[in-house]
Amino acid sequence: MRIPRDVLLSRDSETLVFRVATACALVHALDDAFLNRQPGVPLGQHALAAAIAIVVGGAAIIAFPLLRPGLRAGLAFVFGVLATVNGAMHAVHIAKDGPAHSDFTGALALAAGVVLIAVGLWIPWRHRREGAQTARRRWINRAIAVVGGFVVLYAGLYPTALAIVPTHKYRDPIPAAPTGYESVEFDAADGLQLSGWYAPSRNGAAVVLVHGGGGDRTGALDHAQLLRRHGYGVLLYDSRGRGESDGTPNAWGWGWERDVEGALDFLNERRDVHDGRIGGLGLSTGADVLIHVAPEHRALRAVVSDGATAASFADQTATFGYDEATPYYWTLLMAGQVFSGYSPGPPLEERVPQVSPTPLFLIAAGGFPTEIDFNRHYADVAKEPFTYWELPAVGHTAAVRERPEQYERRVIAFFDEALRARG
């Protein structure tokens, strides 16, 4: 199809504003993917996301003046929401910790997104008297637009925009190491450099703590202090893309297994850790990751899974089947894979029984809407030795604070038995 020259060179105000704003958003996509990547991120990791952005954005820039006003408005609004959510991540980082990497073009994308949303809202007003001539036809068109818009919003725009947050979340500043901890660095299994804190063992055993998807090492400090009181060495670190560690973030923990492998190597080389007595305690996403790691790495001799949920679309459907939420979750997780450059591992329902004979302690709280549902399913397929503890009135991974005595007693008893630690 040949596009007329006057369309390509259109100076219509809607077209000009849309094209300039979209081009600004595409500049950020290229900058983020190739020019100012996060430390340790290979050149091709975000190539697919950048290619999709260029192809879709470029096609929209060319075709925009050929579309009907309703489609132009929808296109501008969709692009605007995605650019705004992406840019907002960078704006928050600039406000909290100063600019770094692609933050400058991220701020440009935020401005472009706001402009595109405004264009998307302005176009229907500008063309309000155009189109269908009869009232009946206008109402039919409006009904189609409402139904179609809801489908696009629920199954497309909303989950895609939401997937931007866990794959682009800014890094929070990491404070100085608490008393009793030393700052450490070690390599993940694929070579990324990770940063963390380590408190040496006093009983010959150590536990690696894996934080939740949106957090960093500071989120597991309460659990670390609990373990330290009983003589355990504790390693807290920032997973890839979080805190001070290299890599790109994703809150589903895809690729974090390589970080845990590096942590196990680090602990195995410590002289204060005797006879490979190493356990793991994972929180939320960290719990999912340890379940994935344990069957492949028997160096991990015991696993506490506090708040495991779902790490993939397969996990979602294995527990809840296919229902009205299926299109939403499919789009969310597919967009997450495109944005992050990572893919999920095997379904957790397959991994949980494979953890055996390594002891597994599943903890499920009620603060996260579906956490108990997921963990009941995992408990059903788990093999001995495993323990299941359900806390319906406790927040997600909050038992250490909301049920401190019970949590300490049960977790320490589990590690003492599994690692044969001595005080």
Side-chain angles (χ1 to χ4, degrees):
M1 176 182 175
R2 183 172 180 175
I3 299 175
R5 177 182 174 85
D6 61 329
V7 171
L8 291 174
L9 301 179
S10 174
R11 295 186 180 181
D12 174 75
S13 57
E14 292 175 18
T15 301
L16 284 174
V17 173
F18 175 84
R19 285 175 169 174
V20 171
T22 300
C24 289
L26 292 178
V27 166
H28 171 63
L30 292 173
D31 184 37
D32 195 41
F34 301 121
L35 301 179
N36 283 293
R37 307 185 304 280
Q38 294 288 318
V41 176
L43 184 62
Q45 182 165 337
H46 298 298
L48 177 59
I52 292 174
I54 294 300
V55 170
V56 174
I61 285 173
I62 294 171
F64 187 80
L66 297 174
L67 303 176
R68 295 177 63 86
L71 291 176
R72 293 204 298 272
L75 192 62
F77 185 79
V78 167
F79 281 20
V81 169
L82 297 178
T84 299
V85 173
N86 192 340
M89 295 289 100
H90 295 273
V92 172
H93 184 255
I94 291 172
K96 295 186 71 167
D97 199 33
H101 306 297
S102 60
D103 282 341
F104 288 112
T105 56
L108 179 65
L110 173 60
V114 172
V115 169
L116 286 167
I117 291 174
V119 169
L121 297 174
W122 176 57
I123 289 174
W125 174 259
R126 183 187 183 194
H127 297 276
R128 63 190 181 278
R129 299 189 186 279
E130 300 175 12
Q133 296 301 311
T134 67
R136 182 171 180 272
R137 172 48 60 182
R138 286 195 294 271
W139 281 109
I140 291 174
N141 289 347
R142 289 167 184 167
I144 293 172
V146 169
V147 174
F150 175 79
V151 172
V152 171
L153 179 66
Y154 174 71
L157 178 59
Y158 177 57
T160 301
L162 195 63
I164 292 173
V165 178
T167 55
H168 291 76
K169 188 178 179 182
Y170 52 86
R171 301 166 183 253
D172 287 310
I174 299 297
T179 302
Y181 294 82
E182 58 187 87
S183 295
V184 297
E185 291 184 340
F186 58 92
D187 289 339
D190 58 356
L192 286 180
Q193 188 174 77
L194 308 178
S195 297
W197 296 325
Y198 181 68
S201 176
R202 303 192 308 277
N203 64 9
V207 177
V208 56
L209 291 104
V210 187
H211 59 74
D216 51 44
R217 72 184 90 165
T218 61
L221 261 175
D222 289 340
H223 301 78
Q225 296 295 70
L226 179 157
L227 292 162
R228 287 192 65 212
R229 288 197 294 271
H230 294 268
Y232 285 92
V234 289
L235 173 63
L236 308 97
Y237 65 91
D238 305 321
S239 296
R240 58 187 58 213
R242 306 301 304 140
E244 296 176 344
S245 291
D246 288 354
T248 189
N250 78 87
W252 291 282
W254 302 330
W256 289 19
E257 295 86 357
R258 300 163 197 166
D259 302 346
V260 176
E261 292 174 37
L264 294 175
D265 289 341
F266 172 87
L267 291 175
N268 272 315
E269 294 173 359
R270 295 285 310 191
R271 297 182 64 181
D272 55 299
V273 179
H274 304 158
D275 304 319
R277 289 160 50 190
I278 300 171
L281 192 160
L283 304 174
S284 190
T285 296
D288 301 342
V289 172
L290 288 182
I291 290 172
H292 274 124
V293 169
E296 302 294 332
H297 297 276
R298 297 300 173 184
L300 193 62
R301 293 193 181 179
V303 173
V304 173
S305 164
D306 188 344
T309 52
S312 67
F313 181 68
D315 293 333
Q316 179 69 28
T317 55
T319 300
F320 295 102
Y322 293 86
D323 54 21
E324 66 279 358
T326 298
Y328 164 83
Y329 282 107
W330 184 88
T331 302
L332 173 71
L333 292 160
M334 286 300 297
Q337 292 182 58
V338 172
F339 293 149
S340 69
Y342 288 110
S343 297
L348 287 173
E349 73 166 358
E350 293 181 9
R351 281 304 205 194
V352 166
Q354 294 171 356
V355 172
S356 177
T358 300
L360 173 64
F361 186 5
L362 294 168
I363 302 174
F368 192 78
T370 55
E371 180 179 333
I372 288 177
D373 296 309
F374 281 117
N375 280 275
R376 285 178 177 174
H377 179 65
Y378 301 147
D380 285 343
V381 300
K383 293 182 179 179
E384 295 291 347
F386 83 96
T387 304
Y388 178 60
W389 185 24
E390 190 172 292
L391 297 159
V394 171
H396 183 54
T397 71
V400 69
R401 294 177 293 276
E402 297 179 19
R403 299 287 189 277
E405 294 181 1
Q406 290 175 275
Y407 192 87
E408 182 166 0
R409 182 175 65 254
R410 297 191 66 155
V411 169
I412 294 302
F414 173 80
F415 279 130
D416 282 352
E417 174 65 23
L419 303 179
R420 295 179 172 82
R422 298 291 182 266

